[in-house]
Amino acid sequence: MIRKGLEKSGGYCPCRRERIPENKCICEEFRRQIADPDFEGYCHCMLYYKSKD
C-alpha cells in the first residue's frame, strides 16, 4: 500500500502532506535517524527499518 502511494505521489512520502524535497523517500527525517549509530527502528511510514547491528 505504501509503495503504491509512493508511485502515485512521485516518490514523496504518502504519509506526509507536504510535497517538499525533505519528504522525498527515503525522507530527510529517516536519513538523520539512520546516521545515529544508536538509532534502531522504522521510518515514519514503516517501509524501512534500521537495526543497530
Side-chain angles (χ1 to χ4, degrees), residues 7-51:
E7 288 177 24
K8 288 174 129 179
S9 68
Y12 290 95
C13 180
C15 304
R16 309 270 182 178
R17 293 176 51 117
E18 298 174 311
R19 302 279 167 100
I20 57 176
E22 292 85 357
N23 291 343
K24 193 92 170 189
C25 193
I26 295 175
C27 68
E28 178 66 30
E29 176 186 13
F30 193 58
R31 283 184 268 160
R32 283 194 310 269
Q33 289 173 324
I34 61 176
D36 178 357
D38 293 325
F39 175 78
E40 182 170 0
Y42 286 96
C43 68
H44 179 78
C45 59
M46 301 193 71
L47 185 61
Y48 295 101
Y49 181 82
K50 189 241 178 190
S51 66

